[in-house]
Amino acid sequence: MNNRLAGKTAIVTGAGRGIGYAIAYRFAQEGAKVVLISRNAASCEGAAERINQELPGSCKAFPCDVADAAAVDACVKSILSEYPSVDILVNNAGITRDGLLMRMKEEDWDAVVNTNLKSAFLFVKALQRVLMKSPAGRIINLSSIVGISGNAGQANYAASKAGVIGFTKSVAQELAGRKVTSNAIAPGFISTEMTDAIPDKAREAILARIPLSDMGRPEDIANCALFLASDEARYITGQVLVCDGGMCM
Ligand code: NDP
């Protein structure tokens, strides 16, 4: 613990479990006040409570469906009434609805693109003025190596994650004048509920393609997010930080 985020307020979406939870926990360990957002109220509140047990008063849950524009608007209003200044926004909430294009339904496309990409637009739009007032505003968006390489069976997911990269770079250019940085993280194969759903045979095939020959941990991604959120990353914007054990070189 170095208090690298002391005095800062961070919002992390999809923080009920997995990578988002690890990011919220890591930020709280470094002294940030953290707003946790996820859709399921019980898991969102449970996650904030777990962190608060160890780091009292560090976290608060604001359950919200990040794909719903009206819900995001109301959620951001209630966050700002309690936390008038926000320094760090992590757009992490994400889902998969995998399937070959031939069988992919329009609703699978829409759900993935709205949850993974539109949500980032909604949160940045709602918070950009507040972030501009921070002396060191930070936007960190979760992409994926699949957004760089594409992946059979994940056309919707890959498109959303490639979109996140284009969005991140555009926001970086628009907000640089106000000293707000915007970067993306592209994880490889990280052990969470999302990847637990992958069948054993496919998992073995993926592991065989990882030079560091192991799955990543949520904490690996949380450390990347911490770096991008910290003062050490003040001169980095518009970049994609790949954290994948060497899978995508
Ligand atoms: P998990 O499935 O473990 O967790 C996803 C989180 O997002 C949950 O807290 C979930 O909350 C939340 N969420 C999903 N949909 C919504 C929604 N509509 N509104 C609010 N919250 C929502 O995923 P991971 O931790 O594995 O992934 C986190 C991010 O990292 C995602 O963007 C993912 O695409 C990306 N990523 C993950 C990789 C991996 O290998 N795990 C690899 C590359 C990228 P709830 O349960 O309440 O819906």
Side-chain angles (χ1 to χ4, degrees):
M1 262 231 295
N2 291 312
N3 272 337
R4 284 159 78 186
L5 302 181
K8 313 242 186 215
T9 299
I11 296 176
V12 183
T13 72
R17 56 188 150 87
I19 292 170
Y21 177 79
I23 294 172
Y25 179 58
R26 192 76 189 90
F27 282 11
Q29 281 184 317
E30 295 291 336
K33 294 270 177 243
V34 188
V35 167
L36 283 76
I37 295 174
S38 68
R39 190 174 32 184
N40 180 298
S43 82
C44 193
E45 276 150 18
E49 254 168 51
R50 281 206 301 288
I51 302 175
N52 280 334
Q53 269 166 18
E54 191 180 322
L55 300 156
S58 58
C59 291
K60 186 149 186 202
F62 286 80
C64 165
D65 179 351
V66 300
D68 177 338
V72 171
D73 204 42
C75 176
V76 168
K77 280 200 178 87
S78 71
I79 292 169
L80 293 178
S81 69
E82 281 192 52
Y83 301 87
S85 65
V86 174
D87 306 282
I88 303 158
L89 166 65
V90 182
N91 288 305
N92 163 82
I95 57 166
T96 51
R97 292 266 184 95
D98 297 351
L100 292 175
L101 204 46
M102 211 176 275
R103 284 193 286 271
M104 189 174 285
K105 298 195 186 90
E106 186 182 352
E107 68 208 50
D108 296 331
W109 177 273
D110 289 344
V112 168
V113 170
N114 289 344
T115 306
N116 299 3
L117 177 58
K118 190 174 93 175
S119 62
F121 158 74
L122 294 173
F123 273 95
V124 169
K125 202 162 159 57
L127 286 161
Q128 60 178 341
R129 282 177 207 281
V130 179
L131 288 165
M132 282 177 194
K133 289 190 189 133
S134 166
R138 299 279 192 267
I139 296 166
I140 299 164
N141 299 318
L142 267 289
S143 177
S144 164
I145 55 164
V146 160
I148 299 167
S149 64
N151 195 23
Q154 288 197 308
N156 51 359
Y157 184 77
S160 73
K161 294 300 184 181
V164 164
I165 294 174
F167 177 69
T168 300
K169 294 184 179 203
S170 304
V171 169
Q173 291 175 32
E174 288 193 25
L175 302 189
R178 307 301 289 267
K179 302 287 181 219
V180 177
T181 68
S182 169
N183 292 290
I185 300 173
F189 191 41
I190 311 297
S191 177
T192 68
E193 281 182 37
M194 186 178 270
T195 46
D196 284 351
I198 296 173
D200 284 349
K201 216 170 155 202
R203 172 184 304 271
E204 277 164 32
I206 296 170
L207 276 169
R209 288 174 38 221
I210 303 176
L212 287 177
S213 56
D214 202 0
M215 286 178 79
R217 301 183 188 132
E219 295 74 27
D220 295 321
I221 306 305
N223 283 323
C224 294
L226 172 62
F227 168 64
L228 291 173
S230 73
D231 291 340
E232 285 99 324
R234 61 174 279 278
Y235 203 53
I236 299 174
T237 196
Q239 300 304 308
V240 182
L241 178 51
V242 175
C243 180
D244 68 346
M247 223 176 154
C248 178
M249 297 192 197

